[in-house]
Amino acid sequence: MSVVTDSEKLTCVGSAMGFSEGETIEADGLYVDHSVYGRQFKIESLRSVAPSDRISVLRYLGSGAINGIGEKLAQRIVDKFGDDTLRIMEEEPERLSEVKGISARMARSITDQMAEKRNERSAMLFMQQYGLSQNLISKLYDRYGDGLYNIIKNNPYKMVEDVPSVGFRTADEIAVKAGIETDSEYRIRSGIIYVLQQMAYMGHCYIPEELLFENTLKLLSLSGESIRELFESQEENLAIDRQIVIRLNEQGVKNIYLGSFDAMERFCAHRLKELKDTFTPYEDHTSPAKSDEDIVLDELQEKAVKECLSNGVFILSGGPGTGKTTTINEIIRRLDEQEISFALAAPTGRAAKRMTETTGYEAQTIHRLLEISGDVESADRKLFYGRNEDNPLEVETVIIDETSMLDIYLLRALLEALEPGTQLILVGDVDQLPSVGPGQVLRDIMDSNAFATVRLNRIYRQAGESHIISYAHMINNGKHIDLSVKYPDFFLLEKEDAATVQQYLVQLCAKVLPGRNGITASDIQILTPMRKGPLGVEHLNEILQKFLNPPSDDKIETLCGNTIFREGDRVMQIKNDYNLEWEVRGNYNISIREGKGVFNGDTGIAEEINTALRLMKVSFDDGRTVYYPFEKLEELELAYAVTIHKSQGSEYPVIIMPLLSGPPMLMNRNLLYTGVTRAKQCVIIVGSGACVMNMIDTDSEQHRYTSLKERICEL
């Protein structure tokens, strides 16, 4: 935003929602010097001031702030009423019809607009005392209008339910300033929901009541004997309102679910059983596999093929190099020979692309398979997907790869789109990290022992010659690996401090590796356990961008928050956005496919930044192109380094893992195994060999509270 002062034209940064060009404002804040954009004024609070002279009034009215008034009409109004213009417009608006070109109807419209702006300004000024941003205040006013005052006075926690941008902590801060009691029933009720939501972000579908009670009291900073009674009272009220579900387990312990998670687990268990019960086994009359290499399946692989053709739900699991791809290709061949229609899909674009390459058949993301609609504002979940119970997929078999990445949300959406009689084949490595979202779908389904499952465990000769694969299996089995020898495909660079590790990461990515054995800069991916700290994603991306894609007169850049995006940057989508439009272009730059939806974990390159149109063009790894409005850039982050968790479903020719130390809950065997198995050609660990051995010894995978297994067993 540019502001004209008495002495200069000043660039201000901050939100100015609800304010229009031409208005006179007062702003509080600080002058800052930005490394790229120079001197700026950082706005902390903003308020409108009534124009005090004819020039200010003319500038305001002529700016288009009032619909229907342009520069010429503004000039006539000011010529007619002079310094008394604003008073006339507010107190005697009917007199506006005295001006040529303004009818009585138009005068009423101008009056209404002035009143609305005046009310919104009052709300803005009122809400500023609670420390909210102009952007959020504008959203609250849009939702509640003048009813906002009653919401603040009586129950600020209602905003958490009604406005997606308002979290519990924001509402709680408002409540404290508004004088709401700390043991208010609204506060306890909202606190319970907030804790359950936070536990879902950690992967849980429910939590035991006692843990919920402890976390709620900690969140609300409450204590005392009477609190238990207040907590249980609101817990019962939430259950009556069906916002939560209370279930007793076999030990008589109360488990508390958000209503949506209870419904999803029950639905998934019922639909999986239905698919199993309604499937008619395929009769396998196909010929043995033939190829130039005369592929021969071992006994376990052949069993997997036969079990697959005989069961409505089939799970194939196995680590790297155990023949999952060979087995799946043989299953696909036999389905194809019998002219059985099938669809291939995976949770991410990278995983789908790899599935296409290894099978020779087109694979899609599950989101694209289900024809995402983009209508995320609707409360009706069916509107999210074009394929659902009312419009199921028109294939006989669906094969899903990288199933360890499936969360309960995506499983529910997939199962909704499968009508009875359809076959579902789930392929994955159950020893990989669980999904980013809530649930542990693959493990729960396998542990239920209710569906045909084959777990491949033989490592083939070619795979056994790879230290990546042999070491991955040793890590998974808790065995120490030999890091004293630097093998071409797996080695450790022993370093003792974070600064030295950072230097070596830059050297490896910028100078040492590119050009060796055909390796390019885009083949290299840094994977780190954590987001924060000197070896976390956020800090490493700043360093790597500086050396791998430095500022240049040939590269346009733009600032979003604290992140500079520059043409040529590697970027990642960090949230699901169902409304972003994409296209795929073919020969002669002709659009061959279009759609909506970019999803958490999708990676690509920032190819072009247009500061005039405020757009950034991103080309994703799966061939889609998306034009991001600058307002959407907060959904992206730099991706020179990504967390191991975010790398699931992807493979990279070369991975580099900086490993020194980190949070105990992250530094475990499961995480190391997942990171190592992301590499195709080479794994380089920069850091401490002792840290690697400690991770191998630490089999403390974080427990997730899920009950899909129990729901399946109940049936």
Side-chain angles (χ1 to χ4, degrees):
M1 177 176 69
S2 292
V3 174
V4 178
T5 71
D6 292 337
S7 58
E8 62 179 329
K9 186 175 182 179
L10 180 65
T11 297
C12 297
V13 292
S15 176
M17 296 293 291
F19 292 84
S20 306
E21 182 180 349
E23 291 191 61
T24 303
I25 64 167
E26 285 183 358
D28 297 322
L30 299 169
Y31 285 100
V32 295
D33 288 314
H34 192 273
S35 58
V36 176
Y37 300 102
R39 186 169 181 262
Q40 298 176 336
F41 186 78
K42 187 175 181 180
I43 295 175
E44 294 179 351
S45 65
L46 188 64
R47 54 201 161 273
S48 179
V49 178
S52 57
D53 54 55
R54 290 170 63 102
I55 295 177
S56 298
V57 172
L58 182 60
R59 183 186 295 131
Y60 172 62
L61 294 178
S63 68
I66 305 296
N67 291 336
I69 299 181
E71 292 183 9
K72 292 183 179 179
L73 187 53
Q75 186 68 60
R76 291 203 296 271
I77 294 173
V78 173
D79 287 345
K80 174 70 175 177
F81 300 115
D83 292 340
D84 213 22
T85 298
L86 282 185
R87 189 196 65 77
I88 294 291
M89 294 179 75
E90 293 183 353
E91 299 177 11
E92 304 177 71
E94 67 280 355
R95 290 188 57 191
L96 287 171
S97 59
E98 298 174 14
V99 178
K100 182 180 179 182
I102 298 181
S103 65
R105 181 178 179 180
M106 185 177 179
R108 287 194 297 272
S109 172
I110 292 171
T111 301
D112 292 342
Q113 289 183 63
M114 292 288 289
E116 176 64 23
K117 284 183 175 291
R118 188 165 56 250
N119 292 340
E120 185 171 356
R121 289 289 158 36
S122 297
M124 292 275 184
L125 290 172
F126 173 74
M127 292 300 292
Q128 278 182 3
Q129 64 183 299
Y130 298 105
L132 303 182
S133 69
Q134 301 288 335
N135 191 10
L136 181 53
I137 294 171
S138 183
K139 289 181 180 179
L140 292 173
Y141 187 79
D142 288 343
R143 175 65 177 81
Y144 298 115
D146 291 339
L148 178 59
Y149 302 100
N150 285 329
I151 292 289
I152 297 297
K153 180 180 178 181
N154 297 315
N155 181 17
Y157 300 99
K158 191 172 190 317
M159 297 188 297
V160 181
E161 302 173 22
D162 297 341
V163 183
S165 304
V166 179
F168 171 82
R169 294 190 183 279
T170 298
D172 202 37
E173 289 176 7
I174 294 172
V176 169
K177 293 178 180 177
I180 304 292
E181 294 293 332
T182 57
D183 61 354
S184 156
E185 63 180 60
Y186 296 125
R187 185 169 188 256
I188 294 173
R189 182 187 180 98
S190 186
I192 291 171
I193 295 295
Y194 178 76
V195 170
L196 287 170
Q197 290 171 339
Q198 293 302 112
M199 296 301 274
Y201 293 140
M202 297 170 64
H204 305 294
C205 291
Y206 73 88
I207 55 174
E209 182 187 47
E210 194 60 31
L211 184 58
L212 175 61
F213 178 66
E214 292 172 5
N215 279 275
T216 303
L217 261 61
K218 183 177 179 181
L219 170 73
L220 304 179
S221 299
L222 294 175
S223 61
E225 293 297 324
S226 61
I227 299 302
R228 167 76 70 172
E229 185 177 340
L230 290 171
F231 171 84
E232 291 178 349
S233 173
Q234 291 312 309
E235 191 179 63
E236 290 176 8
N237 288 338
L238 286 167
I240 292 170
D241 292 343
R242 299 187 177 181
Q243 289 185 259
I244 67 171
V245 173
I246 304 172
R247 289 187 175 275
L248 286 176
N249 66 15
E250 294 179 352
Q251 291 75 39
V253 174
K254 286 183 180 180
N255 292 330
I256 314 301
Y257 300 73
L258 286 171
S260 57
F261 287 111
D262 176 71
M264 282 189 282
E265 285 195 338
R266 284 189 292 107
F267 172 85
C268 290
H270 278 277
R271 181 54 58 88
L272 286 167
K273 181 178 186 299
E274 186 177 34
L275 293 177
K276 174 184 176 181
D277 293 344
T278 58
F279 176 70
T280 302
Y282 299 135
E283 295 184 11
D284 186 12
H285 300 304
T286 58
S287 59
K290 295 290 183 182
S291 75
D292 294 338
E293 299 178 357
D294 288 328
I295 295 173
V296 178
L297 302 182
D298 69 19
E299 184 178 341
L300 199 55
Q301 289 174 315
E302 187 60 47
K303 177 186 177 184
V305 174
K306 290 180 178 179
E307 289 280 329
C308 175
L309 296 174
S310 303
N311 289 276
V313 177
F314 174 71
I315 299 100
L316 179 67
S317 183
T322 56
K324 289 199 304 295
T325 298
T326 300
T327 307
I328 284 299
N329 283 342
E330 179 61 12
I331 290 169
I332 290 173
R333 187 187 71 82
R334 297 194 192 187
L335 293 175
D336 198 29
E337 278 197 9
Q338 296 185 62
E339 298 183 349
I340 295 168
S341 60
F342 58 87
L344 308 180
T348 67
R350 268 185 175 269
K353 183 179 180 181
R354 184 157 52 87
M355 196 179 188
T356 299
E357 293 168 351
T358 56
T359 64
Y361 292 84
E362 183 187 7
Q364 309 171 66
T365 62
I366 298 174
H367 292 95
R368 186 176 150 219
L369 176 72
L370 300 181
E371 298 176 10
I372 196 78
S373 73
D375 187 2
V376 297
E377 298 301 324
S378 171
D380 185 350
R381 187 172 173 78
K382 289 183 180 179
L383 292 179
F384 286 6
Y385 300 97
R387 295 293 181 173
N388 50 55
E389 287 179 295
D390 298 329
N391 183 31
L393 292 166
E394 297 170 357
V395 292
E396 295 166 274
T397 293
V398 174
I399 303 176
I400 305 296
D401 198 8
E402 295 288 354
T403 312
S404 63
M405 297 180 67
L406 274 183
D407 61 23
I408 194 69
Y409 294 120
L410 203 49
L411 179 67
R412 164 67 184 263
L414 174 65
L415 292 176
E416 279 186 335
L418 303 183
E419 61 182 345
T422 305
Q423 183 187 41
L424 176 63
I425 301 172
L426 302 175
V427 185
D429 184 351
V430 75
D431 294 317
Q432 297 280 359
L433 287 169
S435 57
V436 175
Q440 48 184 8
V441 165
L442 181 59
R443 183 173 297 280
D444 277 355
I445 294 175
M446 288 180 63
D447 287 351
S448 73
N449 296 317
F451 306 101
T453 301
V454 172
R455 188 165 182 173
L456 303 176
N457 50 31
R458 175 183 172 186
I459 303 175
Y460 286 86
R461 184 182 61 81
Q462 297 91 332
E465 294 170 357
S466 161
H467 288 91
I468 296 173
I469 291 175
S470 60
Y471 278 11
H473 285 274
M474 289 178 67
I475 291 168
N476 195 36
N477 292 323
K479 298 178 180 178
H480 284 195
I481 58 179
D482 184 3
L483 294 175
S484 64
V485 180
K486 288 181 170 56
Y487 295 105
D489 62 345
F490 202 119
F491 61 90
L492 165 73
L493 296 176
E494 184 80 39
K495 305 299 166 192
E496 297 181 354
D497 62 273
T500 305
V501 171
Q502 292 168 3
Q503 292 173 8
Y504 269 79
L505 294 179
V506 171
Q507 290 293 320
L508 287 168
C509 293
K511 297 180 180 180
V512 177
L513 293 176
R516 287 197 177 188
N517 300 321
I519 294 172
T520 66
S522 61
D523 291 332
I524 306 165
Q525 182 63 59
I526 292 177
L527 302 182
T528 180
M530 64 213 89
R531 291 195 58 82
K532 304 291 185 180
L535 297 181
V537 163
E538 295 175 3
H539 190 57
L540 287 180
N541 273 321
E542 287 184 20
I543 295 171
L544 292 163
Q545 182 194 45
K546 178 180 177 181
F547 288 96
L548 301 181
N549 190 29
S552 166
D553 293 339
D554 299 330
K555 296 178 181 178
I556 300 172
E557 60 186 49
T558 187
L559 180 69
C560 177
N562 295 321
T563 301
I564 294 174
F565 289 107
R566 184 174 297 129
E567 290 177 338
D569 277 337
R570 189 181 298 179
V571 296
M572 173 183 283
Q573 179 80 9
I574 57 173
K575 62 177 288 189
N576 290 341
D577 189 323
Y578 302 92
N579 291 311
L580 269 175
E581 297 180 352
W582 55 262
E583 65 176 356
V584 176
R585 291 186 172 271
N587 294 335
Y588 308 107
N589 203 32
I590 296 173
S591 179
I592 58 176
R593 195 166 69 243
E594 297 177 347
K596 283 186 176 182
V598 183
F599 304 102
N600 190 357
D602 289 349
T603 57
I605 300 294
E607 283 198 348
E608 181 182 336
I609 296 174
N610 190 319
T611 54
L613 297 178
R614 295 178 59 79
L615 292 174
M616 184 167 85
K617 176 185 176 183
V618 175
S619 294
F620 284 96
D621 297 335
D622 58 4
R624 292 173 302 156
T625 296
V626 177
Y627 287 89
Y628 281 80
F630 279 7
E631 294 75 20
K632 291 268 190 179
L633 292 184
E634 62 185 19
E635 297 182 5
L636 291 169
E637 68 179 15
L638 297 175
Y640 298 99
V642 302
T643 62
I644 295 174
H645 226 135
K646 287 278 192 180
S647 73
Q648 284 179 274
S650 299
E651 275 190 348
Y652 311 93
V654 179
I655 68 151
I656 306 173
M657 289 193 288
L659 299 175
L660 271 181
S661 62
M665 63 181 294
L666 290 178
M667 308 303 285
N668 58 42
R669 181 189 306 167
N670 192 226
L671 189 101
L672 179 62
Y673 172 73
T674 301
V676 167
T677 55
R678 299 307 89 203
K680 290 193 289 186
Q681 298 176 21
C682 184
V683 172
I684 303 171
I685 298 173
V686 184
S688 165
C691 176
V692 175
M693 299 310 165
N694 286 335
M695 292 178 75
I696 294 173
D697 291 338
T698 305
D699 188 20
S700 60
E701 183 181 349
Q702 185 183 9
H703 174 72
R704 288 193 171 191
Y705 292 108
T706 67
S707 53
L708 179 60
K709 170 189 168 182
E710 287 73 21
R711 300 297 172 84
I712 293 171
C713 292
E714 288 171 4
L715 299 175

